[in-house]
Amino acid sequence: MNQAVKKVLVSKEEIARKVQELGKQITQDYAGQEIVATCILNGAFIFAADLVRAIDLPMSVEFLIVSSYGDSTESSGTVEIKRDFGVDIQGKHILIIEDIIDSGQTLNALKDILLKRNPASLKICTLLDKKERRLVDLQADYVGFSIPNEFVVGYGLDFASHHRNYPDVCVLKEEEYC
Ligand code: IMP
Ligand code: MG
C-alpha cells in the first residue's frame, strides 16, 4: 500500500467483480440497442476503460470534459462542457460513465444540457455514490458502491491531480489533504 494511504475503502478485487456485474446488467438492459458510452474525464478514465470491456453491445465511446464552477472540493450548479461529443446525440442511447457522485450538481446540470439535445435515452453509471452528500434530486441508474462521506482517491480519482494511479479506492492520511 502506498505510504500516503490511510485505508483501502474498495479493493481492486471488489472493483473488478463489480465492473463485471455492472457490465452484465447493462448488456441485458440495452439488449438489441447501440449505446454511446460517455466517459466523463478525467476521473472516470479507468472505470470507463474497464466497464466498456465488460459490456457486450455495439457502442461508440465518447469523452467529455465538464467543469463545474466551485472551489477545489465543492462543485456548484453551473457547468461548462469543455470538451463535447464529437457527434450529434439526437436519437442515441447515452450512457454516462462517471467516477463519483457527490452533491450531484455537476451531473444534474450536465443532464439538463444533454436532454435538450433529444437523445433516445440518457442513463448514468457511477462507480461510487456519496448519497448523504446529495444537494439535488439526482439518482444514478447504475451504482457500483455507495460510500460514506469521505474524500477518496485512486482508480482514476484524484486529489490535486495526484493519486489517480492507485489500483484501489483509498482514503489518504490526513496530512496528505493539506
Ligand atoms: P458533484 O457535482 O458534487 O457531484 O461532484 C462530483 C465530482 O466531484 C466528481 O466527478 C469528482 O470529480 C469530484 N469528487 C467528489 N467527491 C470526490 C472524492 O471523494 N474524491 C475525488 N473526487 C471527488
Ligand atoms: Mg469527475
Side-chain angles (χ1 to χ4, degrees), residues 6 23 28 31 34 45 49 54 73 89 101 107 132 134 136 154 173 176:
K6 182 166 85 176
Q28 278 177 21
E34 172 164 340
F45 80 110
T73 55
I89 63 169
I101 306 180
L107 277 193
E132 66 186 85
R134 206 69 100 251
V136 292
K173 290 178 180 158
E176 298 290 329

Side-chain angles (χ1 to χ4, degrees), residues 7-21:
K7 65 176 177 194
V8 170
L9 202 63
V10 191
S11 71
K12 61 178 186 290
E13 292 81 11
E14 291 173 284
I15 296 170
R17 276 196 297 275
K18 188 63 78 175
V19 165
Q20 292 308 313
E21 261 176 48

Side-chain angles (χ1 to χ4, degrees), residues 104-116:
Q105 295 188 110
T106 308
L107 277 193
N108 202 46
L110 178 66
K111 207 175 155 184
D112 282 350
I113 295 171
L114 298 184
L115 284 175
K116 291 196 182 112

